[in-house]
Amino acid sequence: MDVLNNLVFGFGVALSPENLLFCFLGTFLGTLIGVLPGLGPTATVAMLLPITFYLPPVTSLIMLAGIFYGSQYGGSTTAILVKLPGESSSVMTCLDGYEMARQGRAGAALAIAALASLFAGIVTTLVIAVAGPPLADIAILFGPVDYVALLTVGLIGAVVLAGGSIVKAVAMVLLGLLLGCIGTDLSSGEKRYTFDLVVLYDGLGFVPLAMGMFGITEIIASLDETGGRGRAMASIARLWPTKEDFRRSWPAALRGTLLGGALGILPGSSATLSSFASYALEKRISDRPQDFGKGMVEGVAGPEASNNAAAQACFIPMLSLGVPPNAIMALMIGAMMIQGIQPGPLVISSQPALFWGMIASMFIGNVLLVLLNLPLIGLWVRLLRVPYTILFPIILVFCALGTYSLNNSVFEVGIMAAFGVIGYVFRLTGCEAAPLMLGFVVGPMLEENLRRSLVISQGNFMVFVQSPISATLFALSAALLLLMLVPSLKRKREVL
Amino acid sequence: MSDEPNPVADSSGPHVSQDIVAGSMFVLFGVLGYLFSLQLSFGTAAELGSAFLPRLVSVLLVVIGVGIAIGGVVKSRAAIAFHSPRPLIVVTFCVVLFALTLETLGLVAAILLMVALSGLAGERRGVVTTLVLGVALSLTCVAIFIWGAQLPIRVWPV
Amino acid sequence: MAKLKWFATVMLVFGLTTSAQAQYPAKPIEMIVAYSAGGVTDLTARIVASFMEKYIGGRTKIVVVNRPGAAGEIGFTALAEAKPDGYTIGFINTPTILSIPIERATKFTWKSYDLLGNLVDDPSGFSVHKDSQFRTLKELQAYAKANPGTVTVGTTGVGSDDHLAMLAFQRAAGVKMTHVPYAGGSMVRTAVLGRHIAVASINIGEAMQYVASGSPFVQLAQAGAMRSSVAPDVPTFKELGFDMESNAMRGVAAPKGLPPEVRKILEDAVTKTAADPEFQAKMAATFSPMRYLPPAEYAVALERAEQLLQKLWSEEPWSPK
């Protein structure tokens, strides 16, 4: 019972008044910035970095970690209330979460999102405690070839995201891939579709794209469909989820947790990707896929569990290999280095208080977050009673300012406006934004790894079946494809 | 997925097939994507060039786009439900104006302008409501983004 | 009434922060970093900012602003085009500050800035997995010569100092290797760790931090003129008989045309920061090899590096023209 002893030791560290306070501060701040679109955890952690010079290492890491996973909780709030993804990983929550809000079930959606996140947070933290380092060693075996296979499964699965026409969904995925090509090509250094605009050299940002195609498009559509009054929300009959909601949510949350945890430990994957994957999975295995996008609680529970699991899981490569899977983990490594700690294989034995203290703090932080978020639900839901003519300018300002604050770039605000228009036209024509966003996220990763695989193998396509991981995944995607081409036995999918 | 436009044609607008418009847009993007990838190198199997994926995707887009459009001509069902260009134009203009004014006139002016103009997109708001909303929103944003997050955003005109 | 008073106070605060230019600095100073938060330059900048605040004195506030994009071009341009009033300073990085203007028309060169002092000089270097078949650079050279194009070298992208180091080694050793670009140094390290590529071309600071953390990583060589302070035991390429140098310098600069008194204040702050033992300890802890150069010497170093790059560009361009 080594792990148990270590956890007890960790709780001893994490429960000191000072660490508890900073855990609370971190999670509180994380919730706050998670709610605000644009302003993300990376910017916040970067800003707070100098403060950590004056804190003990454990305390500062507990706080910074809290900001990160706290933002995953907060990100779902605006997604559910006004269809505005507060963080990129909550894009999928926009779909069914917002529909639930329109049906007067905003409270239920928010509560399920918080509880699913809690569940995922606790489970994933346990996994880190029990098997973090060995898992990290497995994760690095994932080579470019295997990523190609994994992402192919993802792309094929993307089509499942579609609610209406499959053909249009495929076209939207392709358009997403094309948009993902914009910018400097990593492999050759060539500029693609940049039209000599320096601001396009790094490609389009995910946030302006998502905010345009979800937030802005929704405002335009809502105003147009109601002759300027804005869509009314159904009145709220019940604030909390029903028993039925819980019954349907927990298996979804469990699957989301597994998926998010698995994708989260892979360096180069992301919470965003795992929430897409979870949504697609839930829809695929549901016995009423036609109701997804119309307020299915599984469509909230799965992705929310998944993004939180992925957020916690990416601590594994960071802590045990010293490899940061994203910018925020890089900042945490920076914070440790300034304090003279080198995250890596030795960190557990050389800094037990830091490692176990931080893990224990994640348990505490997740519970704090739910205690913090549940009472807020009543408050958030009241926000929906604000007349739309007042509400939509507020959303507009936060969209624009949030996008600007990412890179201090007015150009990105313009991009957001452009994709508001494009998203609206596509919506009018019955094409959905989610497959496009997935293509946009997956495309660059897929291309990069495909080209890398072929460079390393000197053009030998056989490498894709020689790796056991990749061979398995390709077999899986072939099966998926087959399932989709052969009309399902259980249900008939309407093809527009 | 959510918010499919009402498949029944709206009486106020002309009957325009969703599929024809969607298909044409995909074709347009595909053609543009192909044309602007022409100066890029296609590469070889061992070293795929930067044009490989864009061209492949562009061609597929054109093919699928044509397919969707033809489907729309043959058995057009759903029509576009579009009432008034006003929300589209006003909302877009609001955001663009915000982008143009933020770094010159500052945050407060940009927010006030946005709030004032946004009134044109929907039902009218009273002058007092607009003013209160603008001031309150400016204060909130300054509190969050300037005092709280300490972002280097210009607050007032130069 | 109470509300009105409060509002008036708020307005007053705004007024104070925007007017009053009498004594520098009368408002927060922005420090532009041309890379995203979480990168090495960002980390250095945040440490430097906190020390420069101390040495400029008073209630000086320095805010780090990330303007990432286009390998640094967006941030460098923003810095070059800012008003030279001392309220915008920033980091400039070699080789990109030199190589981008060589590659394409830009709105800046290194001469668009008032240099305030260089702080970091991080040599490039080659690392391999502990169990790699290559134990020395000579072994790597011999194998690459016998098997052209089979040794895979991971770098942080086309035109990065890591890529330039790889090109320089190919020329110096008379070999041909395969370039595998990644989007960041951590991805290169992961790829070597998982044995997906043979060699990591990464800066010595990053590599040594990785070694110190217990990762199975071995340094073959470093590409500075001399051995870096963070890696005294790793030989240089020159010592091993390969005539090449490649490094990443990170220093502080401001848009050209600072008022002399402001310039003096800022230069002094950088000098004092560099000399501060506490600062040096933080730089050592973050494996950022220090090399303070006052503005005049900094300019000489940049001039020399620029000439070398121009020569390389005319002989073997590192990116499509």
Side-chain angles (χ1 to χ4, degrees), chain B residues 5-87:
Chain B
N6 191 351
V8 184
D10 193 78
S11 51
S12 64
H15 183 100
V16 184
S17 158
Q18 281 188 359
D19 290 358
I20 295 176
V21 176
S24 321
M25 276 181 65
F26 290 127
V27 171
L28 177 72
F29 278 112
V31 168
L32 288 178
Y34 193 88
L35 287 180
F36 285 106
S37 76
L38 283 178
Q39 79 253 36
L40 303 170
S41 63
F42 197 78
T44 60
E47 209 155 329
L48 293 180
S50 55
F52 172 74
L53 184 77
R55 258 184 240 173
L56 182 73
V57 168
S58 299
V59 169
L60 286 174
L61 256 181
V62 171
V63 171
I64 295 187
V66 168
I68 293 174
I70 289 177
V73 174
V74 176
K75 46 157 197 163
S76 177
R77 272 187 287 171
I80 286 176
F82 181 61
H83 307 96
S84 146
R86 182 187 275 259

Side-chain angles (χ1 to χ4, degrees), chain A residues 46 49 140-143 188 190-191 198 201-202 321-324 330-331 337-338 342-343 345-346 407-408 452 455 458, chain C residues 38 43 46 65 67 69-70 73-74 104 149 178 180-182 186 189-190 194 196 209-210 213 215 282 285-287 320:
Chain A
L49 202 63
I140 55 165
L141 295 180
F142 237 75
S188 67
E190 279 182 283
K191 312 275 180 288
V198 177
Y201 281 8
D202 276 359
L321 297 177
V323 177
L331 277 165
M337 278 164 58
I338 291 172
Q342 310 308 327
L346 297 179
N407 290 321
N408 302 302
R452 197 173 285 147
V455 162
Q458 297 177 316
Chain C
L43 186 62
R46 285 175 201 275
V65 181
R67 296 293 301 269
E73 185 171 349
I74 289 177
R104 51 189 186 247
T178 297
V180 190
Y182 286 82
S186 66
R189 298 192 319 200
T190 317
H196 306 298
Q209 181 250 320
Y210 211 40
S213 74
S215 298
K282 285 212 158 60
T286 53
F287 288 87

Side-chain angles (χ1 to χ4, degrees), chain A residues 47 83 99 102 161 163 168 174 185 190 192-193 224 228-229 292-293 389 392-393 404 410 425 427-428 432 451, chain B residues 1-3 5 18-19 25 33 41 48 50 54 57 81 83-84 92 99 103 118 122-123 125 129 144 149 151:
Chain A
M47 210 182 73
K83 203 174 183 179
E99 281 310 305
R102 283 181 61 188
L161 292 174
K168 282 182 187 167
L174 289 171
D185 172 39
E190 279 182 283
R192 293 195 294 207
Y193 306 127
D224 187 51
R229 273 188 316 279
F292 270 76
T389 44
F392 90 84
Y404 175 79
V410 286
V425 176
R427 183 179 157 130
L428 286 177
E432 297 152 36
R451 290 165 72 177
Chain B
M1 203 154 310
S2 63
D3 312 315
Q18 281 188 359
D19 290 358
M25 276 181 65
S41 63
L48 293 180
S50 55
V57 168
H83 307 96
S84 146
T92 309
E103 286 186 350
S118 69
E123 264 183 358
R125 287 187 296 260
T129 320
I144 294 174
L151 295 179

Side-chain angles (χ1 to χ4, degrees), chain C residues 132-143:
Chain C
S132 163
Q133 61 182 116
F134 311 123
R135 306 237 136 234
T136 64
L137 205 55
K138 288 276 183 224
E139 283 177 28
L140 175 67
Q141 182 196 22
Y143 185 87

